[in-house]
Amino acid sequence: MSDYDEATAFLGDWGPFQLTIFFLLSASTIPNGFNGMSVMFLAATPEHRCLVPDSANLSQAWRNVSIPLEERDGQRLQSRCWRYRLDILSNYSARGLIPGVHVNVSDIQKEKCRDGWHYARDLYHSTVVTQWDIVCDNDWKGPLTTSLFFAGVLTGSFISGQLSDSFGRKKILFATMAVQTGFSIIQVFSTSWEMFAILFLIVGMGQISNYVAAFILGSEILGKSARIIFSTLGICIFFAIGYMILPLFAYFIRDWRTLLMALTLPGLLCIPLWWFIPESPQWLISQGRIEEAEAIIRRAAKQNKVSAPAVIFKAAELDENKQRQSRRHTILDLLKTHNIRVITILTIMFWLIVSIGYFGVSLNTPNLHGDPFLNCFLLAVIEVPSYIIAWQLLGHVPRRYAMCGTMLLGGIVLLLIQLVPQSLNILSTILVMVGKFGITAAFSMAYVYTAELYPTVIRNMGVGIGSMSSRVGSVISPYFVYLGAYNRILPYILMGSLTVTMGLLVLFFPETFGRALPETMDQTQNIKCLCCKKKSPKKFQETLEELKNGSILITTKL
């Protein structure tokens, strides 16, 4: 809203008021870093094997061979889901037979884990998986737990914008904080996996709604230069701070209920922010509450120690601005013309794939070799330079090349992991970090680039359809991680291939760097396809008329 920016220019860009809003709203996203990735530790799957009860009356020799061996990641390891039939082993043990001498153990019949499982306790004392035995035949519940959280994120992204438009940015920000914190506390006392999963879905709805409300509120309150830094660095880096603190909590707290409570309680610290963060003046103006909007701006001027004009917002100018924006567009406009239709398809593909790569790499941390707490911390730390590099690329490098370069960097590095010997665990971790660096940089630039591709009249819908595709990708990503439990490198091969492919397809997008934003549908740039440019129906008709009038000479070269 250019009139608003002009009317509030007297406040300056970086006074005490703007700094307060910048840091408080950014800090409010730290719990999002907790909740967004906490499932890695809450629902981690430790090493496990079938429980052999003491009542089986087996000699130590037969107890040692009661679990069959199976091939996993090139190694012979104890089976997670099968054991030899205990009644047969007990019979052999009672008869004094020796395994491997009198009996070929591999010929004995197998059975599933009828008495539960024995879980390794070296990393986790308890998780959601060990609490309700979400392994073997029930292991599908693991990725579904994560997918339900992201399904809540998808649902919340649909409703958060409408709610904040209807009830105000500030009210929805704090209401969704309450949902995220309150339902997480209830989740601590879950009595079944079903209860935990349903509550996790609701927490996901609050998590994204809180994040979006903070993003919108900051973008509308802050001035133009502060708004750019807030949108690209502020909330992103504070999210990464929450992400970095997560493995520290998880390292010292190995019980899932205690860990979840510890991650939830900091959300209560956001309650005092209600008295420091104002409502969005732009939203108040859109609701006709100009006096309230002026009161907020005058308090900001007093805080910045500048003088406010007698009349800040002129009603006539505001009415004129509303009339210019009165024409409504629908989601069908995203498919109206050939160029916009192709841009929309490519946008959906890009957001889907970059989201799968980002969340897939992040959630696959437990499947990496080495300490999962250290690996998670390193993957969180790498996001900070990634956001800073993305910010610099947006200011100096053409968009297509910046996006293509970061996607190819992330994808190629992930593909190289399969070539690293298992003995070089540190090299594998470094490659994953570099891959995460590239994908995160591309992800952080996606909002800006998508907004520049679409004309003003459908820009919000264009960004919205991209964001929705991102949520779908996050719902799918846990199943890539699920494959990692069976083959360590398969998730990286799939994510790397998709990321490289999308990195090349980005080159077909129009270039927006240094160009004015399109205002109307007709100003949308042409797609850089290898095929012939599609002529508009109007141009085609003009060509036919020229042919009829003989104004075009057609020559054929034999």
Side-chain angles (χ1 to χ4, degrees):
M1 180 180 176
S2 59
D3 293 336
Y4 175 84
D5 289 336
E6 293 172 5
T8 58
F10 66 90
L11 289 176
D13 288 330
W14 285 107
F17 172 74
Q18 289 90 344
L19 288 172
T20 300
I21 297 301
F22 180 93
F23 284 107
L24 292 183
L25 284 177
S26 297
S28 73
T29 64
I30 291 178
N32 295 83
F34 292 160
N35 289 281
M37 300 298 175
S38 63
V39 70
M40 283 189 293
F41 301 106
L42 297 176
T45 304
E47 281 299 318
H48 54 278
R49 57 177 173 80
C50 292
L51 180 65
V52 179
D54 294 335
S55 59
N57 294 322
L58 298 178
S59 66
Q60 190 59 46
W62 281 104
R63 186 173 291 274
N64 291 340
V65 297
S66 59
I67 306 298
L69 299 179
E70 62 183 17
E71 187 83 16
R72 284 205 313 271
D73 288 332
Q75 301 179 29
R76 297 285 291 173
L77 302 172
Q78 286 187 326
S79 175
R80 294 169 173 170
C81 303
W82 294 90
R83 69 185 184 187
Y84 291 118
R85 283 183 52 179
L86 295 187
D87 57 337
I88 298 177
L89 298 186
S90 180
N91 180 36
Y92 289 155
S93 179
R95 292 164 56 188
L97 301 178
I98 301 175
V101 177
H102 302 109
V103 180
N104 186 357
V105 178
S106 61
D107 293 335
I108 301 175
Q109 287 182 312
K110 301 175 185 177
E111 63 182 2
K112 292 186 178 182
C113 303
R114 296 182 178 181
D115 300 296
W117 288 262
H118 171 79
Y119 296 99
R121 305 289 180 180
D122 55 335
L123 288 178
Y124 312 103
H125 295 163
S126 72
T127 69
V128 173
V129 170
T130 64
Q131 181 80 44
W132 293 296
D133 290 331
I134 306 176
V135 292
C136 296
D137 289 345
N138 288 322
D139 64 354
W140 56 271
K141 293 180 179 179
L144 180 59
T145 303
T146 309
S147 288
L148 285 173
F149 173 80
F150 287 116
V153 171
L154 174 61
T155 305
S157 65
F158 273 119
I159 64 176
S160 58
Q162 288 81 353
L163 289 175
S164 63
D165 285 343
S166 301
F167 299 102
R169 318 307 194 203
K170 180 179 177 179
K171 289 180 180 178
I172 296 305
L173 171 63
F174 285 91
T176 51
M177 282 182 185
V179 169
Q180 180 176 260
T181 303
F183 280 92
S184 290
I185 292 175
I186 298 173
Q187 200 178 17
V188 172
F189 304 99
S190 298
T191 57
S192 65
W193 171 78
E194 289 79 8
M195 178 179 176
F196 179 90
I198 291 172
L199 290 172
F200 216 20
L201 184 145
I202 299 173
V203 170
M205 293 174 61
Q207 197 256 6
I208 186 60
S209 300
N210 163 27
Y211 190 87
V212 170
F215 178 83
I216 295 174
L217 185 57
S219 299
E220 291 182 346
I221 292 179
L222 297 173
K224 189 175 295 184
S225 62
R227 184 183 305 145
I228 294 173
I229 298 178
F230 172 78
S231 302
T232 55
L233 292 183
I235 58 174
C236 292
I237 288 182
F238 277 80
F239 176 90
I241 291 173
Y243 187 3
M244 282 186 276
I245 296 174
L246 168 63
L248 300 180
F249 274 79
Y251 178 80
F252 291 104
I253 305 174
R254 305 296 179 97
D255 173 74
W256 77 266
R257 293 185 191 271
T258 310
L259 174 60
L260 181 56
M261 181 63 78
L263 295 175
T264 301
L265 291 179
L268 299 176
L269 299 177
C270 294
I271 294 176
L273 300 185
W274 174 270
W275 289 275
F276 295 94
I277 297 175
E279 180 56 270
S280 164
Q282 290 200 45
W283 180 81
L284 291 171
I285 291 171
S286 70
Q287 302 298 305
R289 297 157 62 177
I290 299 178
E291 294 80 7
E292 295 177 54
E294 285 205 358
I296 292 173
I297 299 301
R298 292 188 187 282
R299 286 198 297 271
K302 184 177 180 181
Q303 191 173 347
N304 284 357
K305 297 180 181 180
V306 296
S307 299
V311 177
I312 299 176
F313 302 114
K314 298 178 182 179
E317 292 181 358
L318 296 174
D319 290 340
E320 181 182 350
N321 187 65
K322 290 176 69 175
Q323 290 176 3
R324 289 198 302 265
Q325 300 177 359
S326 61
R327 183 172 179 266
R328 297 291 179 184
H329 290 266
T330 68
I331 197 168
L332 295 178
D333 287 314
L334 295 176
L335 305 172
K336 189 171 183 179
T337 67
H338 174 67
N339 278 328
I340 292 179
R341 186 160 53 247
V342 176
I343 288 175
T344 299
I345 293 172
L346 289 175
T347 297
I348 291 173
M349 292 173 58
F350 175 82
W351 281 83
L352 180 72
I353 291 173
V354 76
S355 178
I356 289 174
Y358 176 82
F359 288 103
V361 171
S362 300
L363 297 174
N364 198 48
T365 302
N367 291 328
L368 283 174
H369 287 296
D371 189 293
F373 308 102
L374 178 60
N375 290 338
C376 179
F377 179 76
L378 293 175
L379 288 177
V381 168
I382 200 65
E383 291 200 3
V384 175
S386 180
Y387 293 133
I388 295 174
I389 290 296
W391 176 46
Q392 291 297 313
L393 289 175
L394 286 173
H396 301 92
V397 180
R399 303 287 188 255
R400 290 187 302 145
Y401 300 137
M403 300 289 280
C404 174
T406 52
M407 290 285 281
L408 290 180
L409 172 64
I412 291 174
V413 167
L414 292 181
L415 287 175
L416 291 176
I417 293 175
Q418 61 185 307
L419 304 178
V420 178
Q422 291 192 13
S423 58
L424 300 177
N425 297 332
I426 296 178
L427 180 57
S428 295
T429 303
I430 292 174
L431 289 178
V432 173
M433 289 180 62
V434 175
K436 177 75 177 296
F437 174 88
I439 293 173
T440 302
F443 206 172
S444 62
M445 291 187 286
Y447 276 99
V448 175
Y449 193 25
T450 304
E452 292 175 346
L453 287 170
Y454 285 96
T456 302
V457 292
I458 58 170
R459 184 167 295 127
N460 285 340
M461 285 186 288
V463 174
I465 199 71
S467 180
M468 184 191 71
S469 303
S470 166
R471 309 310 170 196
V472 174
S474 65
V475 173
I476 297 172
S477 62
Y479 293 95
F480 283 75
V481 180
Y482 179 67
L483 296 174
Y486 298 93
N487 188 308
R488 182 181 64 89
I489 64 172
L490 184 57
Y492 296 116
I493 293 175
L494 295 175
M495 290 185 292
S497 301
L498 289 173
T499 304
V500 168
T501 302
M502 193 64 237
L504 296 175
L505 289 177
V506 166
L507 294 175
F508 296 138
F509 274 117
E511 183 53 68
T512 62
F513 181 68
R515 300 189 182 185
L517 293 177
E519 296 288 338
T520 65
M521 306 283 281
D522 293 336
Q523 293 175 1
T524 306
Q525 295 186 59
N526 293 330
I527 295 295
K528 308 290 184 182
C529 289
L530 296 176
C531 57
C532 296
K533 190 186 300 182
K534 184 173 180 178
K535 289 186 177 182
S536 65
K538 182 178 179 181
K539 185 69 176 177
F540 184 71
Q541 291 296 331
E542 292 176 355
T543 303
L544 285 179
E545 290 297 326
E546 291 174 342
L547 285 170
K548 291 178 182 178
N549 297 331
S551 57
I552 294 181
L553 296 177
I554 302 177
T555 59
T556 304
K557 191 171 183 179
L558 298 176

